[in-house]
Amino acid sequence: MSFAAYKMMQCPTGIDNCAAGFLTHSRSDFVPLQPDDLDAEWPSRPRHHVGSLPNLVVTAANVLEVYAVRLQEDQPPKAAADSRRGALLDGIAGASLELVCHYSFVSAEFIDGVECGAYYAAMLHGNVETMAVLSIGGGDVSRRRDSIMLTFADAKISVLEYDDSIHGLRTSSLHCFEGPEWLHLKRGREQFARGPVVKVDPQGRCGGVLIYDLQMIILKATQAGSGLVGEDDALGSSGAVAARIESSYMINLRDLDMRHVKDFTFVHGYIEPVMVILHERELTWAGRVSWKHHTCMISALSISTTLKQHPLIWSAVNLPHDAYKLLAVPSPIGGVLVISANTIHYHSQSASCALALNSYAVTLDSRCQEIPRSSFNVELDAANATWLLSDVALLSTKTGELLLLTLVYDGRVVQRLDLSKSKASVLSSGITTIGNSLFFLASRLGDSMLVQFSCGSGVSMLSSNLKEEVGDIEADAPSKRLRRSPSDALQDMVSGEELSLYGSAPNRTESAQKSFSFAVRDSLINVGPLKDFSYGLRINADANATGIAKQSNYELVCCSGHGKNGSLCVLRQSIRPEVITEVELPGCKGIWTVYHKSTRSHNADSSKMADDDDEYHAYLIISLEARTMVLETADLLSEVTESVDYYVQGKTLAAGNLFGRCRVIQVYERGARILDGSFMTQDVSFGASNLESGSASDSAIALSVSIADPFVLLRMSDGSIRLLIGDPSTCTISVTSPASFESSKGSVSSCTLYHDKGPEPWLRKTSTDAWLSTGVGETIDGTDGAAQDHGDIYCVVCFDNGNLEIFDVPNFNCVFSVENFMSGKSHLVDALMKEVLKDSKQGDRDGVINQGRKENIPDMKVVELAMQRWSGQHSRPFLFGILSDGTILCYHAYLYESPDSTSKVEDSASAGGSIGLSSTNVSRLRNLRFVRVPLDAYAREDTSNGPPCQQITIFKNIGSYEGFFLSGSRPAWVMVLRERLRVHPQLCDGSIVAFTVLHNVNCNQGLIYVTSQGVLKICQLPSGSNYDSYWPVQKIPLKATPHQVTYFAEKNLYPLIVSFPVLKPLNQVISLVDQDINHQNESQNMNPDEQNRFYPIDEFEVRIMEPEKSGGPWQTKATIPMQSSENALTVRMVTLVNTTSKENETLLAIGTAYVQGEDVAARGRILLFSLGKNTDNPQTLVSEVYSKELKGAISALASLQGHLLIASGPKIILHKWNGTELNGIAFFDAPPLHVVSLNIVKNFILIGDIHKSIYFLSWKEQGAQLSLLAKDFGSLNCFATEFLIDGSTLSLMVSDDNRNIQIFYYAPKMSESWKGQKLLSRAEFHVGAHVTKFLRLQMLSTSDRAGAVPGSDKTNRFALLFGTLDGSIGCIAPLDEITFRRLQSLQRKLVDAVPHVAGLNPRAFRLFRSNGKAHRPGPDSIVDCELLCHYEMLPLEEQLEIAHQVGTTRSQILSNLSDLSLGTSFL
């Protein structure tokens, strides 16, 4: 029996739903800033941006993310620099998205934090079907916040709200209509075309959810305070109440005689909520449309939530059968738009009008008057829409065009509809307006975009009817129009990119009243849908690499996107820097680069700030075992050790710049030197500074150093700390020993300085008297006024007992303290606040610790600390700690004022408390809190052979990215993008001892690192990749749909199938389909208008692409066009044995099919090409060696022991190759309908069929026969198949259309296999995404670890990497039984131990979905690593307790998880 683990490596990226709402702040919070910043910020803000922007909420499969939209205002001095970013619209230079909460799968609590606008991401245990934002009516003065309503299949509804105190989402109500007591709602049906659909009343009075296609759930919202201002103010600043659901009831739409509901919505402008439902009275279909076409109608119901009544108030009949969407028109107009494929209708209680979009629009009968036509033809099936103004809607069509629909309104009724073309853009899955100048285009097929729009008034013939208010520029009301200069409005597109750059779309002036200009402000990268991928070598691969380092030689080339968003995505899990030069340098302990400018004067602060980023480094300091080297980093790296005054007789601990880069400080074990360039100006020795403490301190040497200008903090070997204080006026330093540490606080295990930079230091906002934000500076600083502009400096200290304290420098007053920091709680709160809030858990926690004593925990301590706030106006500090067992704790600071604590803190402080009277005057950072952020597991050190050697090196600009580098045996880059951490490992050099940045002439914004083998490498970050993604990704646009890709290793080429639409005249299209019809009569039947009409037909070709050496765009080396109406279905590189010359030939094989309608028998072609030696000349690169037409579509190919296996229609035929032609030698005729995948191992064949599940065959050379060994007798719609190999065990993996995977095995000896005819189920699992491709990769051996049981590690063990249509990537890895049993029992515990986000149960999500078909449940032999990865995020005490309950130890569990992530660290 074999077992497996399911592990997600990249979360879904294709966005399904998007919405905007005030989640992290309310409408009345003017500007998205803390209240204490208002005075300072006020003058610089243009008046018209006072309205705060809502958050953006997006869902991608089971990931929920909340973003804050940040506007970058246009400051006059920067105007020149910003002009390259494109047009300034309304004085806004740019906007970007920032994650407020990133929130993972099961853990509702771990979030990335928001600051009045947030990004929060959660992985849920269920795929979000639809989403809506429940907003609160009451205009802009409302202090209440919005909530998110999510629906999940079959009929679950969760309502989430944002909670400031935990900086994340919290579930406010759950509604479930599943299970036996609600079974009657399904009315006997098992399958439903769509999941639940949720819509909300625009004034937030209720929401409606349509479940099981016919049951309408009405969720009534609480009407708290009914909008009285007095009650709202009483809530105080932090008591923001979010919209909540009070009760629910159900309306059965069958009772209202509605059978087939297509859509519903709530309309504006009624006293009670009014729901309009679009439904079809009797169904029709394409063959009957000619005489049964207007079958839809809309009904408006007035919903009385108190009386639970719903009278019909108006309706409209005879809408076209292809109407599918309702769009509620905002007030003052009101009413509803009905969108169908060929027409748009407007209906309200009093008026109606329509617009025909193309010539297929038909009227009800000949007596009706003609519908007005739009001036151009367009089809609107599958469109998405949102409102830009109250009378202009933006429609995004299925081809990615943006259309503007204007309602011409005269103050009483809508007279007509106007449609005009605008930009072309991404193929969207959803669209939402954010505030009054931005909209977001969500997409599953391309990158999602945040677009800014600006409306100008065009020339209008109806200007007498329009109340133009040109004089008033305040854009408070979205209906007021802004006058723009004509050059701006008609400015042409900057480049051929469609709406991925800036420009504007002039409308046709005779009909449109407004012209809009658009500019793309931000985009979220998407690699889905992954249809196929191929595994190939990177350009800069290293042929000598072995083991794990060899993995970073490879990359994954994926077919993703569709139509004009089609692209090749090159994914690499690990970063491989581009080496500029490398040197042998054994025994290196550390490297540092320092600046020096001889001409710089001391007070040239202003000029210094300007050229900070461009200044080159001057010296590189290298610390060896017993000496120090100094190199100049000018044009050449040249050693100057002999000619400088640096301390070179021993090793260096740290080097850096002080006094605004005027001086260099070098710290060694027994002293420090200040240097001006190469000359020493001061030398300080540590031992002598405090003789009064006796001779013991003479032996103390410095162990670690932290530099924050003008202070240097040292941790000594006796557990004390020293502070070197610099004096900027004389550029000298003096050694002090902080007085507060003389007491018995215990020895310090690690410490760091944190420099709170910036014009407004962030931590000041959290102190007790934050409202005095001007006066706080003097009280904290204590140094001269110069330091104040540069922010405050704090010292973060961790003691041996695990407590963490933050002190201000240089006074060393404690401003924040946390007990037991190293246990890794989900939130950190100041201990002083905790006392006030009476932390009740104190008692039982001690018991847990004692129980865990038998597992040697006491020797754990924090060995490395870092705290950093990266650039960005709204960024907040991160706090990192590394424990001695290799665990990395990562916290993100946030600000929370608890409403009731202020007075109590004063009391407890004045009473003395445990704080001591001395600290009452200190301003504590009592509103500061930290939330724990997950870091991916592969950053974990292997500590079995000694203490961890991980170090955090912070970088501000390497290739314009910022973050930190984690050196050690598992080096990784952690980049900070959108306030979230992106972890990218670096496998290519094994363990790394030292790392530093280097910016000079030859290495621009690069880096230097030293490997443990003693090689120093000077590198740059590869420029082509985008690192703001789970894996670094490089996108190569194809402007066509890619279908399948394969890899030719000898020449490093990628052949791929692409298709693109070509417009053809209709008569050609008809002759393609019906070749035997007499063409003359046909063309006489068509009227001339139809003969000239064009129809898009997909044309296929195979492109052969070569990666570019420098990481630039790829080049197409050759193309192989297909014939007309011929679709290429599969492309593979196959190795065939030439039977005449007995040599192996590697050929490119293409299988095709002719698509000619259902009257023509299916045919296909098999094509073989050889890829020649000459790669420069495209004609000779590819030459056709064979082509043959076969019956049936050729949908899969594979080479089997030198023969070619072809699946053509219902037959599977094995061919041999003699150099000129293929001859069939064996066939298999069992009834596959259409083979979707063929896999081969040795002489075994696995076939996946589109409806008939899988077949397992074998091929015998003697007797030349293909024989069926076994098959799965169930019916299964296969998507992908592959063999799973675990040692000597062979299993068969298959994924299906219900988003499941199953593992089968062949066991002819077992009785239930019907003498071997039937494949038996070994495991089943619900992935929650359509898996389209499996790739078998050999797992990496982890047997070199100390403590691994010898022989337990099978060498012949393969994992399956898979890609899905959501853009996620995961893997299935085999496990041995003992590990599986341990992890499975842990998983059962974690189901209860980890909070369920949105109330979703992880076990229920992973159950096999059979969609109503009979299915016998299989064994549960796959563990879910998505749940297991939450174990590391639990507090240490809980980890020990759970491990104890499972009957194992924490270290054993962590070592299993780390082995698994190591064994699968591919790419």
Side-chain angles (χ1 to χ4, degrees):
M1 187 68 192
S2 79
F3 305 94
Y6 160 87
K7 181 167 185 281
M8 213 59 173
M9 296 176 144
Q10 166 166 315
C11 296
T13 56
I15 295 180
D16 304 312
N17 302 298
C18 61
F22 290 91
L23 296 168
T24 61
H25 54 286
S26 60
R27 288 167 181 72
S28 60
D29 301 345
F30 277 172
V31 227
L33 281 168
Q34 306 298 345
D36 50 285
D37 302 334
L38 280 181
D39 306 332
E41 283 289 322
W42 196 248
S44 68
R45 282 183 179 266
R47 233 337 287 275
H48 57 272
H49 286 306
V50 171
S52 59
L53 281 172
N55 299 110
L56 170 69
V57 192
V58 298
T59 69
N62 61 341
V63 175
L64 169 75
E65 297 184 330
V66 183
Y67 287 92
V69 183
R70 305 283 188 210
L71 292 183
Q72 284 108 38
E73 306 276 338
D74 174 39
Q75 280 100 15
K78 282 203 190 151
D82 277 322
S83 59
R84 60 194 158 79
R85 279 224 59 184
L88 295 175
L89 299 185
D90 291 356
I92 294 179
S96 61
L97 298 172
E98 172 187 305
L99 194 45
V100 197
C101 348
H102 186 89
Y103 145 55
S104 229
F105 217 118
V106 216
S107 100
E109 293 191 42
F110 314 146
I111 306 114
D112 265 5
V114 192
E115 172 180 328
C116 282
Y119 154 74
Y120 169 89
M123 275 193 87
L124 310 163
H125 284 291
N127 288 0
V128 178
E129 297 285 334
T130 55
M131 169 177 71
V133 169
L134 179 67
S135 65
I136 287 298
D140 288 344
V141 294
S142 166
R143 296 209 73 127
R144 295 178 62 184
R145 297 184 181 175
D146 303 345
S147 296
I148 311 174
M149 297 174 72
L150 303 173
T151 65
F152 304 90
D154 289 331
K156 300 184 191 70
I157 304 148
S158 301
V159 186
L160 302 175
E161 62 184 51
Y162 181 80
D163 183 357
D164 285 320
S165 62
I166 61 166
H167 200 85
L169 295 180
R170 192 177 56 193
T171 312
S172 68
S173 64
L174 299 170
H175 313 267
C176 181
F177 298 91
E178 295 172 18
E181 66 273 31
W182 297 105
L183 206 56
H184 62 280
L185 298 182
K186 292 190 180 185
R187 303 190 53 84
R189 282 180 63 184
E190 284 292 347
Q191 294 191 24
F192 295 93
R194 57 181 177 188
V197 182
V198 58
K199 300 280 169 78
V200 292
D201 174 50
Q203 281 159 357
R205 295 165 295 195
C206 69
V209 185
L210 179 68
I211 58 171
Y212 302 133
D213 289 353
L214 278 178
Q215 308 289 338
M216 179 68 69
I217 312 285
I218 302 290
L219 300 169
K220 181 185 176 185
T222 53
Q223 298 289 319
S226 31
L228 288 176
V229 184
E231 299 195 19
D232 264 350
D233 280 351
L235 292 173
S237 58
S238 53
V241 180
R244 301 218 175 136
I245 298 297
E246 183 181 275
S247 60
S248 67
Y249 68 97
M250 194 178 311
I251 303 174
N252 186 349
L253 297 181
R254 276 179 72 94
D255 304 344
L256 305 176
D257 208 28
M258 297 181 193
R259 288 282 187 289
H260 312 284
V261 177
K262 291 185 153 192
D263 196 18
F264 71 100
T265 189
F266 287 90
V267 292
H268 295 253
Y270 286 86
I271 296 174
E272 285 208 307
V274 171
M275 176 192 287
V276 177
I277 301 178
L278 170 68
H279 55 107
E280 200 165 4
R281 287 169 303 174
E282 37 189 324
L283 295 178
T284 182
W285 65 286
R288 289 174 61 95
V289 163
S290 53
W291 56 288
K292 183 176 182 183
H293 41 70
H294 281 63
T295 54
C296 289
M297 66 175 289
I298 53 174
S299 308
L301 308 177
S302 172
I303 308 284
S304 165
T305 50
T306 45
L307 301 172
K308 300 193 180 179
Q309 290 176 350
H310 36 270
L312 179 75
I313 53 175
W314 55 270
S315 64
V317 294
N318 294 336
L319 290 167
H321 72 281
D322 50 11
Y324 65 95
K325 195 184 199 67
L326 293 177
L327 193 60
V329 183
S331 40
I333 302 177
V336 68
L337 285 175
V338 185
I339 301 176
S340 68
N342 309 309
T343 51
I344 300 178
H345 300 259
Y346 169 81
H347 283 281
S348 69
Q349 197 158 356
S350 53
S352 67
C353 58
L355 179 70
L357 305 172
N358 52 41
S359 55
Y360 296 115
V362 287
T363 51
L364 183 59
D365 50 32
S366 52
R367 293 191 302 274
C368 292
Q369 83 261 19
E370 193 60 36
I371 308 180
R373 282 280 301 271
S374 80
S375 59
F376 56 95
N377 284 346
V378 65
E379 294 172 9
L380 268 195
D381 46 333
N384 288 297
T386 187
W387 292 94
L388 298 186
L389 305 176
S390 62
D391 56 349
V392 181
L394 180 75
L395 299 163
S396 160
T397 68
K398 61 179 177 184
T399 57
E401 281 184 292
L402 295 181
L403 307 176
L404 292 166
L405 177 72
T406 308
L407 277 64
V408 182
Y409 175 70
D410 63 356
R412 276 181 323 111
V413 292
V414 173
Q415 295 180 327
R416 61 190 171 88
L417 306 174
D418 245 339
L419 194 65
S420 61
K421 281 195 178 186
S422 180
K423 276 301 178 9
S425 169
V426 64
L427 305 178
S428 68
S429 62
I431 179 170
T432 182
T433 314
I434 305 171
N436 48 21
S437 63
L438 294 163
F439 64 88
F440 180 77
L441 282 163
S443 172
R444 276 182 64 92
L445 304 172
D447 295 352
S448 304
M449 291 193 290
L450 178 72
V451 183
Q452 187 186 349
F453 67 89
S454 158
C455 158
S457 46
V459 186
S460 156
M461 298 167 65
L462 300 166
S463 53
S464 57
N465 298 343
L466 281 167
K467 306 180 189 64
E468 290 281 349
E469 304 169 13
V470 182
D472 192 351
I473 307 290
E474 285 191 333
D476 297 339
S479 57
K480 300 180 183 171
R481 298 164 191 73
L482 314 170
R483 160 87 39 110
R484 299 191 62 75
S485 63
S487 64
D488 200 346
L490 301 170
Q491 170 194 7
D492 209 67
M493 289 182 60
V494 179
S495 88
E497 285 291 314
E498 310 179 314
L499 191 60
S500 48
L501 280 158
Y502 315 94
S504 60
N507 300 331
R508 300 186 336 285
T509 47
E510 68 270 15
S511 71
Q513 289 91 44
K514 306 180 188 65
S515 68
F516 284 84
S517 37
F518 298 109
V520 177
R521 288 309 187 200
D522 202 355
S523 64
L524 299 178
I525 199 157
N526 168 26
V527 297
L530 296 175
K531 300 184 190 135
D532 187 36
F533 53 77
S534 182
Y535 183 69
L537 275 177
R538 299 192 194 182
I539 288 289
N540 56 359
D542 169 20
N544 308 323
T546 54
I548 278 195
K550 192 172 176 183
Q551 282 306 314
S552 63
N553 284 346
Y554 297 100
E555 61 193 10
L556 211 57
V557 176
C558 312
C559 295
S560 81
H562 179 82
K564 64 181 186 193
N565 297 133
S567 63
L568 274 184
C569 285
V570 186
L571 292 164
R572 314 169 171 103
Q573 187 176 351
S574 61
I575 291 181
R576 187 185 190 96
E578 292 170 356
V579 179
I580 298 176
T581 123
E582 54 179 270
V583 201
E584 289 281 332
L585 188 73
C588 173
K589 290 292 172 213
I591 44 179
W592 298 270
T593 43
V594 292
Y595 298 97
H596 172 249
K597 232 184 226 166
S598 49
T599 57
R600 185 189 288 121
S601 62
H602 298 283
N603 49 6
D605 273 355
S606 52
S607 63
K608 185 201 93 208
M609 296 307 276
D611 57 7
D612 250 6
D613 300 336
D614 306 325
E615 188 184 337
Y616 289 154
H617 287 106
Y619 293 102
L620 166 66
I621 298 157
I622 302 175
S623 166
L624 304 174
E625 294 276 1
R627 65 192 185 94
T628 295
M629 287 167 64
V630 183
L631 282 75
E632 234 176 355
T633 56
D635 300 348
L636 299 168
L637 280 185
S638 48
E639 185 170 346
V640 290
T641 311
E642 304 305 320
S643 59
V644 290
D645 291 344
Y646 281 84
Y647 172 77
V648 293
Q649 294 81 28
K651 61 178 182 185
T652 302
L653 289 178
N657 285 91
L658 286 186
F659 313 123
R661 297 188 182 172
C662 288
R663 295 285 187 272
V664 176
I665 178 161
Q666 178 198 15
V667 183
Y668 47 98
E669 288 185 334
R670 298 197 175 272
R673 286 190 186 187
I674 301 280
L675 298 105
D676 183 355
S678 55
F679 306 108
M680 177 170 77
T681 59
Q682 189 186 4
D683 192 356
V684 179
S685 145
F686 299 148
S689 76
N690 50 355
L691 292 171
E692 66 272 8
S693 60
S695 61
S697 69
D698 291 347
S699 61
I701 55 172
L703 292 181
S704 70
V705 184
S706 170
I707 301 176
D709 188 11
F711 299 108
V712 180
L713 182 71
L714 309 166
R715 182 169 70 84
M716 309 304 282
S717 54
D718 59 359
S720 64
I721 61 176
R722 302 278 163 81
L723 186 69
L724 308 186
I725 302 180
D727 178 0
S729 54
T730 61
C731 287
T732 55
I733 55 170
S734 54
V735 184
T736 62
S737 196
S740 54
F741 277 88
E742 299 303 315
S743 59
S744 57
K745 280 210 173 187
S747 71
V748 174
S749 68
S750 60
C751 58
T752 182
L753 288 178
Y754 165 60
H755 194 167
D756 203 14
K757 289 197 185 67
E760 11 175 88
W762 193 84
L763 283 179
R764 279 188 203 174
K765 303 176 188 173
T766 65
S767 65
T768 321
D769 34 15
W771 45 279
L772 295 170
S773 75
T774 49
V776 177
E778 286 76 17
T779 59
I780 291 188
D781 261 326
T783 57
D784 56 348
Q788 202 186 319
D789 323 339
H790 303 306
D792 313 323
I793 296 185
Y794 296 91
C795 167
V796 187
V797 175
C798 220
F799 296 100
D800 274 351
N801 59 9
N803 294 351
L804 173 117
E805 302 202 2
I806 300 182
F807 298 89
D808 61 355
V809 174
N811 306 332
F812 273 90
N813 294 314
C814 177
V815 290
F816 184 86
S817 60
V818 178
E819 288 178 0
N820 202 2
F821 167 73
M822 66 182 188
S823 81
K825 302 182 192 62
S826 61
H827 293 80
L828 302 182
V829 186
D830 186 8
L832 177 59
M833 293 290 294
K834 265 212 166 118
E835 266 177 42
V836 176
L837 303 171
K838 294 285 184 291
D839 192 1
S840 57
K841 295 183 187 160
Q842 206 59 48
D844 52 13
R845 190 178 294 135
D846 300 334
V848 176
I849 292 181
N850 295 337
Q851 193 175 8
R853 275 286 143 74
K854 49 181 145 330
E855 189 182 333
N856 49 1
I857 286 310
D859 60 354
M860 266 179 60
K861 56 178 193 274
V862 181
V863 291
E864 172 99 0
L865 267 181
M867 186 166 174
Q868 177 68 23
R869 173 176 168 224
W870 281 275
S871 64
Q873 187 190 349
H874 299 277
S875 63
R876 306 189 315 282
F878 283 94
L879 174 66
F880 306 99
I882 302 181
L883 305 186
S884 49
D885 71 336
T887 310
I888 299 177
L889 303 178
C890 165
Y891 285 92
H892 202 175
Y894 66 99
L895 190 138
Y896 174 69
E897 288 185 53
S898 64
D900 55 342
S901 59
T902 323
S903 52
K904 294 185 189 166
V905 172
E906 312 298 315
D907 298 346
S908 69
S910 55
S914 64
I915 305 109
L917 287 165
S918 62
S919 63
T920 49
N921 56 354
V922 177
S923 144
R924 281 189 79 104
L925 307 177
R926 66 179 183 81
N927 295 330
L928 173 65
R929 294 195 176 187
F930 290 91
V931 60
R932 176 124 180 240
V933 182
L935 274 183
D936 292 321
Y938 47 67
R940 196 182 172 76
E941 252 322 87
D942 170 16
T943 55
S944 51
N945 33 7
C949 53
Q950 282 166 306
Q951 274 183 322
I952 291 176
T953 312
I954 287 169
F955 59 87
K956 300 278 180 40
N957 184 349
I958 295 187
S960 74
Y961 286 93
E962 53 185 17
F964 68 89
F965 183 85
L966 200 58
S967 52
S969 65
R970 308 253 183 282
W973 294 77
V974 181
M975 296 180 180
V976 180
L977 294 147
R978 301 184 201 283
E979 287 287 281
R980 81 195 279 176
L981 300 176
R982 296 284 197 188
V983 186
H984 303 306
Q986 177 174 320
L987 310 171
C988 56
D989 291 294
S991 93
I992 289 180
V993 234
F995 173 97
T996 189
V997 292
L998 174 68
H999 178 46
N1000 75 353
V1001 185
N1002 304 320
C1003 176
N1004 202 8
Q1005 290 170 355
L1007 56 125
I1008 307 182
Y1009 61 85
V1010 183
T1011 69
S1012 55
Q1013 279 78 43
V1015 183
L1016 177 139
K1017 298 194 178 189
I1018 300 181
C1019 311
Q1020 279 178 310
L1021 210 53
S1023 55
S1025 296
N1026 182 333
Y1027 297 99
D1028 187 15
S1029 177
Y1030 298 94
W1031 286 9
V1033 58
Q1034 177 189 358
K1035 283 190 109 162
I1036 296 110
L1038 297 171
K1039 301 287 185 206
T1041 307
H1043 295 277
Q1044 211 174 43
V1045 63
T1046 183
Y1047 177 60
F1048 181 42
E1050 288 171 38
K1051 297 267 184 309
N1052 200 26
L1053 298 174
Y1054 290 92
L1056 69 146
I1057 301 174
V1058 297
S1059 68
F1060 42 90
V1062 175
L1063 288 174
K1064 296 202 167 172
L1066 208 53
N1067 48 8
Q1068 278 187 30
V1069 175
I1070 288 175
S1071 64
L1072 281 178
V1073 176
D1074 306 327
Q1075 289 167 335
D1076 49 349
I1077 296 179
N1078 185 341
H1079 296 309
Q1080 277 71 35
N1081 349 345
E1082 188 62 36
S1083 50
Q1084 282 153 16
N1085 303 346
M1086 292 166 126
N1087 57 25
D1089 175 38
E1090 287 190 331
Q1091 278 183 17
N1092 300 331
R1093 188 181 301 145
F1094 286 86
Y1095 187 78
I1097 290 246
D1098 271 349
E1099 294 220 332
F1100 282 75
E1101 67 184 26
V1102 173
R1103 288 186 198 168
I1104 296 174
M1105 316 258 306
E1106 180 178 46
E1108 180 60 45
K1109 298 280 182 286
S1110 62
W1114 289 21
Q1115 287 166 347
T1116 304
K1117 284 291 181 188
T1119 61
I1120 306 171
M1122 298 292 122
Q1123 298 170 0
S1124 63
S1125 79
E1126 180 183 29
N1127 290 14
L1129 296 181
T1130 180
V1131 58
R1132 288 286 176 253
M1133 296 303 305
V1134 292
T1135 304
L1136 305 181
V1137 175
N1138 186 331
T1139 52
T1140 46
S1141 68
K1142 299 284 185 277
E1143 289 178 357
N1144 283 350
E1145 293 183 28
T1146 301
L1147 300 173
L1148 175 67
I1150 302 172
T1152 72
Y1154 290 99
V1155 179
Q1156 292 174 314
E1158 54 192 22
D1159 302 329
V1160 184
R1163 307 172 289 131
R1165 283 198 305 160
I1166 169 77
L1167 305 165
L1168 293 179
F1169 291 86
S1170 76
L1171 295 176
K1173 303 285 169 279
N1174 183 357
T1175 50
D1176 303 327
N1177 185 348
Q1179 276 73 39
T1180 58
L1181 171 67
V1182 176
S1183 53
E1184 182 176 317
V1185 293
Y1186 180 76
S1187 91
K1188 181 186 178 187
E1189 201 168 282
L1190 298 172
K1191 287 184 183 170
I1194 298 179
S1195 56
L1197 299 164
S1199 55
L1200 169 63
Q1201 297 184 344
H1203 305 302
L1204 183 62
L1205 189 64
I1206 300 176
S1208 66
K1211 271 199 178 64
I1212 288 157
I1213 312 171
L1214 189 66
H1215 295 77
K1216 70 169 187 252
W1217 169 247
N1218 64 8
T1220 52
E1221 59 176 1
L1222 291 171
N1223 295 314
I1225 51 172
F1227 70 94
F1228 171 68
D1229 241 1
L1233 304 173
H1234 177 85
V1235 174
V1236 289
S1237 69
L1238 273 181
N1239 307 101
I1240 289 174
V1241 162
K1242 292 184 179 170
N1243 62 332
F1244 295 111
I1245 306 164
L1246 173 60
I1247 297 171
D1249 184 79
I1250 193 159
H1251 285 313
K1252 296 279 185 189
S1253 196
I1254 57 174
Y1255 293 77
F1256 185 43
L1257 286 72
S1258 78
W1259 151 249
K1260 293 196 181 65
E1261 188 83 52
Q1262 68 278 31
Q1265 56 177 3
L1266 286 172
S1267 52
L1268 176 68
L1269 294 177
K1271 64 175 192 172
D1272 173 26
F1273 281 81
S1275 68
L1276 192 72
N1277 300 348
C1278 294
F1279 266 45
T1281 58
E1282 187 52 277
F1283 288 101
L1284 184 63
I1285 299 172
D1286 180 11
S1288 56
T1289 318
L1290 185 71
S1291 311
L1292 317 176
M1293 170 77 77
V1294 56
S1295 68
D1296 65 36
D1297 66 331
N1298 286 330
R1299 302 175 178 173
N1300 307 308
I1301 53 174
Q1302 278 173 281
I1303 304 179
F1304 290 98
Y1305 67 112
Y1306 174 58
K1309 301 235 169 49
M1310 294 182 69
S1311 57
E1312 58 262 41
S1313 73
W1314 305 345
K1315 295 186 180 165
Q1317 296 176 56
K1318 184 181 178 191
L1319 290 170
L1320 301 177
S1321 171
R1322 178 163 273 164
E1324 56 187 27
F1325 191 81
H1326 183 71
V1327 175
H1330 293 292
V1331 175
T1332 50
K1333 162 92 181 204
F1334 289 110
L1335 175 70
R1336 192 170 69 238
L1337 294 176
Q1338 182 151 10
M1339 284 182 75
L1340 309 166
S1341 157
T1342 53
S1343 56
D1344 53 341
R1345 288 177 50 96
V1349 185
S1352 69
D1353 200 38
K1354 302 180 185 174
T1355 48
N1356 187 28
R1357 183 174 263 197
F1358 289 80
L1360 297 183
L1361 199 69
F1362 62 81
T1364 72
L1365 290 182
D1366 297 325
S1368 54
I1369 296 175
C1371 80
I1372 305 283
L1375 290 177
D1376 49 80
E1377 179 163 7
I1378 184 164
T1379 311
F1380 170 77
R1381 296 279 177 229
R1382 182 180 299 126
L1383 294 181
Q1384 191 187 34
S1385 42
L1386 172 66
Q1387 177 179 315
R1388 289 176 180 150
K1389 282 274 174 243
L1390 286 178
V1391 170
D1392 304 327
V1394 171
H1396 296 180
V1397 177
L1400 297 164
N1401 190 309
R1403 270 182 66 195
F1405 181 43
R1406 295 308 183 186
L1407 290 179
F1408 186 88
R1409 308 279 161 96
S1410 61
N1411 221 355
K1413 294 181 188 150
H1415 173 77
R1416 191 172 161 204
D1420 175 22
S1421 335
I1422 299 186
V1423 288
D1424 177 12
C1425 291
E1426 288 305 280
L1427 181 53
L1428 295 177
C1429 68
H1430 286 290
Y1431 180 73
E1432 291 193 64
M1433 292 295 295
L1434 293 172
L1436 183 63
E1437 297 81 22
E1438 286 182 44
Q1439 290 184 33
L1440 296 173
E1441 172 67 16
I1442 287 176
H1444 180 69
Q1445 290 171 357
V1446 170
T1448 177
T1449 63
R1450 169 178 181 267
S1451 52
Q1452 181 70 62
I1453 291 172
L1454 293 179
S1455 123
N1456 284 154
L1457 292 175
S1458 123
D1459 279 357
L1460 183 65
S1461 71
L1462 235 94
T1464 56
S1465 50
F1466 307 117
L1467 302 163

